[in-house]
Amino acid sequence: MSAEPLLTVEGLRAAYGRIEVLRGIDLTVGRGEIVAVIGANGAGKSTMLATISGLLPPSGGRVRFDGREITGRPAEELVRRGLGHVPERRQLFGALTVEDNLLLGAYARRGRRAEREADLARVYALFPILRERRRQPAGTLSGGQGQMLALGRGLMGRPALLLLDEPSVGLAPLIVREIFAAIGALREGGTTILLVEQNARAALRLADRGYVLETGAVALSGAAADLMADPTVQGVYLGQTIAEGEAARDRVAGGASRPPATPR
Ligand code: ATP
């Protein structure tokens, strides 16, 4: 990780009315990393992303991005500063064409036309099916194509950091693989990614590091490979029994040089 992480979250708290949903989250994302946050339904993953990206005001804690404090800054400002957020429910404009949906993603940046064309070309290179369908209404796309469009729209803002909320939700396994391959390609292209996922296996396979969120707090964190080898993670999030998880960890421990995942 570089000297200062691209994103630093310290003691982040958020509430809906009187109900506290984030109870002091600490997390970092280094430049060039993919960091996965896994956790059960309702653990607070989406709320955490919304609080970082300025959609929801925090009730406590601090967020630093790219060397500056951004706690509670409005989402439009953060998009201009290079913090993009692709929400879980994709939020596409179904009656607009695929290309118009993409161009809306470039709106906040107010870039020149040549830049927009270059950005469109980049998205179309990543997802050729979107080029084929660029004149079609977004509402006619399949679920996987809709997710590609949501990702592509997030990229049109040229984010340094992309927050991705459950990109695999509702998609068939083959399409999930395609989406995750594209996320890997984004990282190769220099985008840093904070990925929230219920598909823990796919997320940890792709990620450098991971955090396990339980009822609004970090329960476990570490290198993604170590989390995958952790018996509790395997038992609770990867669908294995604890005994299978322990056996797998012992096999990994034989050849691993990394420290174990850090309990918090
Ligand atoms: P999921 O994968 O189901 O989206 P999550 O880990 O992303 O789960 P959140 O969506 O952040 O969890 O929800 C955390 C808690 O906050 C849940 O108990 C949820 O019911 C509650 N919650 C989420 N959004 C709201 C809201 N707008 N108003 C009130 N409570 C909310």
Side-chain angles (χ1 to χ4, degrees), residues 2-27:
S2 59
E4 180 176 18
L6 183 59
L7 181 79
T8 307
V9 173
E10 284 173 6
L12 191 65
R13 293 179 172 272
Y16 296 107
R18 287 204 204 137
I19 300 175
E20 188 164 59
V21 173
L22 302 185
R23 298 182 297 117
I25 290 181
D26 294 320
L27 168 149

Side-chain angles (χ1 to χ4, degrees), residues 15-17 19-22 38-49 56 88-89 165-166 169 196-198 213 216:
Y16 296 107
I19 300 175
E20 188 164 59
V21 173
L22 302 185
I38 62 172
N41 255 330
K45 305 182 298 299
S46 298
T47 303
M48 183 191 78
L49 292 191
L56 191 72
E88 181 177 352
R89 279 179 247 293
D165 197 347
E166 305 261 8
V169 77
V196 151
E197 259 295 341
Q198 281 197 43
L213 218 61

Side-chain angles (χ1 to χ4, degrees), residues 55-67:
L55 294 174
L56 191 72
S59 51
R62 284 168 26 121
V63 183
R64 280 180 69 78
F65 170 63
D66 203 11

Side-chain angles (χ1 to χ4, degrees), residues 224-234 238 245-246 248-250 252-253:
D226 294 330
L227 286 177
M228 281 192 93
D230 183 279
T232 312
V233 172
Q234 295 199 341
L238 301 179
E246 281 172 349
R249 182 197 51 186
D250 293 344
V252 171

